[in-house]
Amino acid sequence: MPRILVTGAAGFIGMHTARRLLQRGDEVVGIDNLNDYYSPELKTDRLAVLQDHAAFQFRKISLEDRDAMRDLFATQHFDRVIHLAAQAGVRYSLQNPEAYSDSNLTGFINILECCRHHQIAHLTYASSSSVYGANRKLPFHESDRVDHPVSLYAATKKANELLAHSYSHLFGLPTTGLRFFTVYGPWGRPDMALWLFTQAILEGKPIRVFNHGHMRRDFTYIDDIVEGVIRTSDRIPTACATNTDDPGDSESTAPYRLYNIGNNTPVPLLELISCLEQKLGIPAIMDLQPMQPGDVEATYADISALQTDVGFSPDTSIADGTGHFVDWFIASDASRYTRDSA
């Protein structure tokens, strides 16, 4: 039974990933700092789902706490690490940049150092489609240059990929970075469009639709993301002698990989809103807004590397995925997590 560390276990993707690992019989230690970027109650309720499993342990730890991280690795003896904790959000990085340097940079260095010194067999970590920044060539491929981030969040995620490559090259630490594309589904984040739209429509309030609705996103359902995370975690990368040490490539002469995980189907924002209107039986009141700083018009994942190497293709339709989210949102009275802050 592998012993796996899942960072960000109280987060959206972290909770779902930890639960799937527990269901298949793995032993999971989860860490999270339970910060108040969004409702700590939501994070606590996610953890309650995991704490029903005897093979799950939780530790409240901040990634940037070097001593706590060193003690965790020294005492727990992990086989693998799935690193999903980070300060999330593009827009919040304009208000609180220090939170991103603490968690996404200092915290990631601490993860790398602990993995290096404790002979972790494989570090799988979350990157983001936001690294593609101002790129206009679609679909986005892992070998595309990503030198023009349009948000601090994106810059920290690109920095993670570069740091991981250096540790793979210098110390032989196997690392795999996963560029997630607009993840959504039950237990999602209250700051994401799907949650904001659903709650506003139910309450008869207008929804803010940026770039006047002319946006497309490669929305990827949470179950597909988790399947991709676990499959890539199970596949430990090796050096590729036929390639160069180019950290922009999905392969390297180091034991290093990068993969897009997206639905490979960009969806217009207005189509997402239409799916919600049909599921809820309520028309949306749209407040059309200009493009926001740090945002991009379209995302679209080329997943050919994931298909070839891992044998997996996300395929949940936007209609099915939004339906599952709305069912959960209503059944769990999810709006309670944001009522106090509204």
Side-chain angles (χ1 to χ4, degrees), residues 296-319:
V296 297
E297 287 190 18
T299 62
Y300 180 4
D302 181 330
I303 57 170
S304 56
L306 185 73
Q307 292 169 323
T308 300
D309 292 355
V310 187
F312 176 63
S313 302
D315 62 2
T316 303
S317 71
I318 193 66

Side-chain angles (χ1 to χ4, degrees), residues 11-44:
F12 173 33
I13 303 174
M15 182 274 278
H16 281 279
T17 300
R19 180 167 63 176
R20 184 79 64 85
L21 291 168
L22 292 163
Q23 287 171 344
R24 77 172 191 176
D26 294 343
E27 188 174 350
V28 176
V29 176
I31 67 169
D32 203 291
N33 66 1
L34 300 177
N35 68 28
D36 61 357
Y37 169 64
Y38 60 82
S39 168
E41 182 187 358
L42 173 57
K43 298 177 182 182
T44 301

Side-chain angles (χ1 to χ4, degrees), residues 108-275:
F108 193 66
I109 285 285
N110 288 340
I111 286 285
L112 288 168
E113 276 291 283
C114 288
C115 288
R116 168 197 172 193
H117 289 292
H118 292 275
Q119 291 77 52
I120 299 301
H122 188 197
L123 167 63
T124 306
Y125 63 95
S127 185
S128 169
S129 62
S130 66
V131 300
Y132 290 106
N135 287 18
R136 294 189 176 273
K137 181 186 77 66
L138 298 174
F140 298 148
H141 189 272
E142 295 90 343
S143 62
D144 294 341
R145 291 186 62 176
V146 287
D147 302 326
H148 300 96
V150 295
S151 71
L152 176 60
Y153 171 72
T156 64
K157 287 300 184 179
K158 178 55 184 173
N160 288 173
E161 296 176 359
L162 294 168
L163 289 165
H165 187 270
S166 67
Y167 272 71
S168 295
H169 174 74
L170 292 170
F171 308 116
L173 173 66
T175 66
T176 298
L178 303 175
R179 292 174 174 173
F180 297 147
F181 281 70
T182 315
V183 189
Y184 73 102
W187 293 101
R189 280 182 17 220
D191 61 323
M192 298 295 284
L194 185 59
W195 184 303
L196 295 169
F197 289 175
T198 300
Q199 184 163 345
I201 292 171
L202 285 169
E203 295 175 355
K205 297 178 179 178
I207 60 175
R208 292 193 298 168
V209 182
F210 294 103
N211 200 33
H212 304 283
H214 302 301
M215 308 272 274
R216 291 185 299 150
R217 289 290 180 270
D218 205 338
F219 292 102
T220 313
Y221 189 63
I222 184 61
D223 289 357
D224 290 331
I225 289 288
V226 170
E227 185 71 18
V229 169
I230 293 177
R231 286 200 191 198
T232 52
S233 176
D234 288 343
R235 185 181 185 276
I236 300 175
T238 57
C240 178
T242 61
N243 211 329
T244 62
D245 269 30
D246 181 355
D249 282 344
S250 58
E251 295 183 342
S252 169
T253 54
Y256 167 93
R257 295 291 185 277
L258 279 177
Y259 295 110
N260 290 331
I261 302 186
N263 211 45
N264 194 228
T265 309
V267 173
L269 188 58
L270 295 179
E271 182 179 336
L272 170 72
I273 295 169
S274 176
C275 287

Side-chain angles (χ1 to χ4, degrees), residues 68-133:
M69 292 297 294
R70 286 174 173 172
D71 182 66
L72 176 75
F73 274 76
T75 58
Q76 294 293 330
H77 309 295
F78 303 116
D79 299 298
R80 281 182 274 149
V81 173
I82 298 178
H83 176 51
L84 302 171
Q87 177 57 59
V90 169
R91 296 176 192 112
Y92 186 62
S93 67
L94 301 175
Q95 307 165 27
N96 191 0
E98 293 84 3
Y100 293 78
S101 62
D102 291 344
S103 179
N104 300 7
L105 298 177
T106 301
F108 193 66
I109 285 285
N110 288 340
I111 286 285
L112 288 168
E113 276 291 283
C114 288
C115 288
R116 168 197 172 193
H117 289 292
H118 292 275
Q119 291 77 52
I120 299 301
H122 188 197
L123 167 63
T124 306
Y125 63 95
S127 185
S128 169
S129 62
S130 66
V131 300
Y132 290 106

